[in-house]
Amino acid sequence: MKQYFDLKENIEEKNIEEAGKGIQKGELVLFPTETVYGIGANGLEKQAVKRIFVAKGRKQDNPLILHIADMEMLEQIAQNITTLEYKLMEAFWPGPFTIILERKPNVPDIVTGGLNTVGIRMPSNLVAQKLISYAKVPIAAPSANISGRPSGTNIQDIFEELSDKVDYIIDGGQCEIGLESTVVRVIKEEVHILRPGKITKEQIQKIAEKVVIDNHILGDLKPNEPVLSPGMKYKHYAPKAKCMLIYSKENNKLVEEIKERAKEYENPLIVCHHHNINQYENAKVMDIGETLEEISKNTFKVLRKVDSYHPDIVMIEGVEKEGIGLAVMNRLLRACEHHYIEI
Ligand code: AMP
Ligand code: MG
């Protein structure tokens, strides 16, 4: 790392301008967005984008999202956009919403993993917006983490992992949402949700008649099964410890089930809702929050911390798969490698 900019309290334009110039020169910038931190590079330069894949150890066929600051940038990289696609962008941009569109030829293959489509998002975070504007190019930015690890939602969590791999770090404090963007693709007027996020099915249904949640969001994937989004294939968010996700609509049942199962282990760690922190006397507990907003914000932070307790099992209390709860459960299921019990 050449420069660390602390913009937690004040947004220093000249710092963002410097990092934007870095992007133009092909350098890597770790920066905040409203969802999670991103590792950004010039999205139109093959060599710059290549550095992201090396830094993360990311598989080459897993495409990156291009982040834009305005609709002019959209027209540089996407074509044959339909009315419905424009409506969706108008409704959810700037914000935690990514849309897969037909790409223009100037988008390098390395960004799209060789697909003829490209994922595009206009973030609402002010630092992210300004960085893209100063860079004057779409910024390719995957989540800030080594591939397979939980995404970074604050600089402390990822400093050790990534500080020697990037040129600039912009610290914007804790990310507001804490889970990655909702990813959609429109196929024949149907909106397919490929990754759930803060923008929910219910919100999208106000814009589009048909909204489909892709099967793979909650189901486990069979080897070589075809997918609409390459990212679905890869192991993600998993702590080193063995993890188990448990859910019941009834809180008493949930607590009893976890207590029973915890007896089988020597050093269990229970990740629980705030209201359950005093329920598990014979186990270590971590509080994941109370409201769905708190839980989504804390999910990756908690997943990054569980290994420091050296547990022989991590039992995680699930949430209802509704609204942003679907996104929380999608990330937790993957962290637990689909080791899931619903009672
Ligand atoms: P991340 O960069 O960690 O936020 O992940 C980006 C996600 O978007 C991954 O799951 C990718 O597979 C997905 N994605 C990006 N571009 C495309 C595309 N053109 N088609 C389908 N999925 C995409
Ligand atoms: Mg990621």
Side-chain angles (χ1 to χ4, degrees), residues 49-157:
V49 175
K50 209 169 178 178
R51 289 191 59 199
I52 298 178
F53 281 87
V54 175
K56 284 190 56 123
R58 184 168 171 120
K59 293 272 189 335
Q60 292 276 345
D61 73 341
N62 193 3
L64 304 181
I65 293 169
L66 290 183
H67 294 73
I68 59 172
D70 52 49
M71 294 310 264
E72 249 172 70
M73 280 190 182
L74 173 78
E75 306 299 335
Q76 282 174 23
I77 54 180
Q79 60 191 1
N80 296 326
I81 303 167
T82 64
T83 311
L84 176 56
E85 288 166 338
Y86 273 116
K87 272 192 193 162
L88 291 164
M89 291 182 260
E90 198 181 320
F92 303 120
W93 280 359
F97 182 79
T98 298
I99 185 159
I100 311 288
L101 297 173
E102 186 180 321
R103 69 152 158 175
K104 278 195 172 160
N106 59 329
V107 178
D109 276 344
I110 189 162
V111 170
T112 68
L115 301 172
N116 71 340
T117 54
V118 57
I120 305 175
R121 175 161 100 87
M122 188 190 287
S124 62
N125 178 286
L126 211 57
V127 173
Q129 278 188 3
K130 284 178 187 285
L131 180 68
I132 304 162
S133 297
Y134 278 118
K136 299 192 177 79
V137 288
I139 295 184
S143 54
N145 55 275
I146 297 291
S147 282
R149 300 267 302 134
S151 306
T153 60
N154 60 80
I155 291 296
Q156 297 88 287
D157 280 3

Side-chain angles (χ1 to χ4, degrees), residues 18-284:
E18 190 180 332
K21 286 196 174 127
I23 294 276
Q24 288 172 355
K25 283 190 280 186
E27 295 179 316
L28 295 189
V29 179
L30 190 58
F31 69 100
T33 82
E34 68 277 19
T35 57
V36 300
Y37 273 80
I39 305 181
N42 181 343
L44 301 181
E45 280 298 327
K46 183 179 161 191
Q47 288 308 326
V49 175
K50 209 169 178 178
R51 289 191 59 199
I52 298 178
F53 281 87
V54 175
K56 284 190 56 123
R58 184 168 171 120
K59 293 272 189 335
Q60 292 276 345
D61 73 341
N62 193 3
L64 304 181
I65 293 169
L66 290 183
H67 294 73
I68 59 172
D70 52 49
M71 294 310 264
E72 249 172 70
M73 280 190 182
L74 173 78
E75 306 299 335
Q76 282 174 23
I77 54 180
Q79 60 191 1
N80 296 326
I81 303 167
T82 64
T83 311
L84 176 56
E85 288 166 338
Y86 273 116
K87 272 192 193 162
L88 291 164
M89 291 182 260
E90 198 181 320
F92 303 120
W93 280 359
F97 182 79
T98 298
I99 185 159
I100 311 288
L101 297 173
E102 186 180 321
R103 69 152 158 175
K104 278 195 172 160
N106 59 329
V107 178
D109 276 344
I110 189 162
V111 170
T112 68
L115 301 172
N116 71 340
T117 54
V118 57
I120 305 175
R121 175 161 100 87
M122 188 190 287
S124 62
N125 178 286
L126 211 57
V127 173
Q129 278 188 3
K130 284 178 187 285
L131 180 68
I132 304 162
S133 297
Y134 278 118
K136 299 192 177 79
V137 288
I139 295 184
S143 54
N145 55 275
I146 297 291
S147 282
R149 300 267 302 134
S151 306
T153 60
N154 60 80
I155 291 296
Q156 297 88 287
D157 280 3
I158 46 178
F159 192 85
E160 231 183 270
E161 192 169 308
L162 294 172
S163 61
D164 61 343
K165 300 200 159 65
V166 298
D167 301 294
Y168 295 88
I169 293 182
I170 305 181
D171 191 344
Q174 171 68 35
C175 296
E176 210 182 298
I177 297 170
L179 297 178
E180 306 89 337
S181 58
T182 304
V183 177
V184 306
R185 173 151 177 206
V186 180
I187 302 170
K188 295 190 187 117
E189 298 287 302
E190 264 182 16
V191 182
H192 291 251
I193 299 180
L194 307 184
R195 179 173 73 186
K198 175 86 195 299
I199 304 295
T200 61
K201 183 184 180 188
E202 294 75 18
Q203 283 173 284
I204 299 171
Q205 270 168 336
K206 293 195 177 132
I207 312 294
E209 268 172 39
K210 287 189 188 151
V211 184
V212 185
I213 294 180
D214 193 278
N215 280 338
H216 302 128
I217 281 179
L218 294 173
D220 204 356
L221 200 62
K222 293 171 192 68
N224 300 323
E225 199 178 330
V227 285
L228 275 173
S229 181
M232 291 170 169
K233 291 187 302 202
Y234 295 112
K235 185 173 160 160
H236 215 339
Y237 318 123
K240 291 189 186 78
K242 183 176 151 192
C243 298
M244 190 189 280
L245 180 60
I246 304 173
Y247 179 66
S248 170
K249 277 192 200 313
E250 288 174 52
N251 193 58
N252 284 348
K253 265 194 183 173
L254 173 68
V255 170
E256 285 316 310
E257 181 74 21
I258 293 178
K259 277 185 181 166
E260 254 332 282
R261 286 177 179 268
K263 285 182 193 158
E264 294 163 29
Y265 296 87
E266 261 172 39
N267 194 20
L269 172 67
I270 320 284
V271 173
C272 65
H273 291 77
H274 182 71
H275 63 255
N276 283 339
I277 49 170
N278 294 320
Q279 297 275 9
Y280 305 104
E281 293 110 11
N282 300 318
K284 290 178 183 143

